[in-house]
Amino acid sequence: MATSKTTINSPLYTTKFTDTDASSGSSASKVEVSTSALNVGEIFIDNSVKASKMYLKLYNAANTGAVTVGTTDPHLILTVEASSTVKYTFVPNMVFSSGCTYSLVTTAGTAGTTGANVAGIKVEILVGS
């Protein structure tokens, strides 16, 4: 996982969170986006390197220690088809009142715990003002 945060000068968004290697291991990694409340406006997932469907689980949790992938109920689960990209836009923004942590897995639902085991899946999250 290689993450970064960039400040955006936009009337809609304040921050772009980028993970250029979201699920390179065989077990699901937990990635912290924010330790405080935030509003998510857009999420882009690039799964063009993986020949199977992936699921982005987003948790209303301030840190990775508050999440057990496979047990903790996600706030939201987003799908990206095999060998494709997808952009989700939330109007109004999706509210995460406690913070935001995510995991990218190969199985739908709460119970999925298997990572993609391939490098290069990209996740971008635009945080609203």
Side-chain angles (χ1 to χ4, degrees), residues 27-43:
S27 56
S29 300
K30 297 178 283 187
V31 180
E32 181 181 286
V33 176
S34 176
T35 58
S36 58
L38 75 157
N39 300 313
V40 172
E42 289 186 7
I43 297 176

Side-chain angles (χ1 to χ4, degrees), residues 41-97:
E42 289 186 7
I43 297 176
F44 171 79
I45 309 165
D46 181 349
N47 188 36
S48 57
V49 298
K50 180 76 174 165
S52 62
K53 188 184 290 190
M54 297 296 297
Y55 302 89
L56 183 71
K57 296 180 180 187
L58 295 136
Y59 300 93
N60 190 19
N63 58 57
T64 58
V67 172
T68 301
V69 178
T71 304
T72 304
D73 285 332
H75 188 57
L76 179 68
I77 300 174
L78 302 174
T79 304
V80 58
E81 294 297 327
S83 306
S84 67
T85 61
V86 66
K87 180 173 86 170
Y88 290 93
T89 302
F90 305 102
V91 179
N93 290 343
M94 175 70 62
V95 176
F96 290 81
S97 59

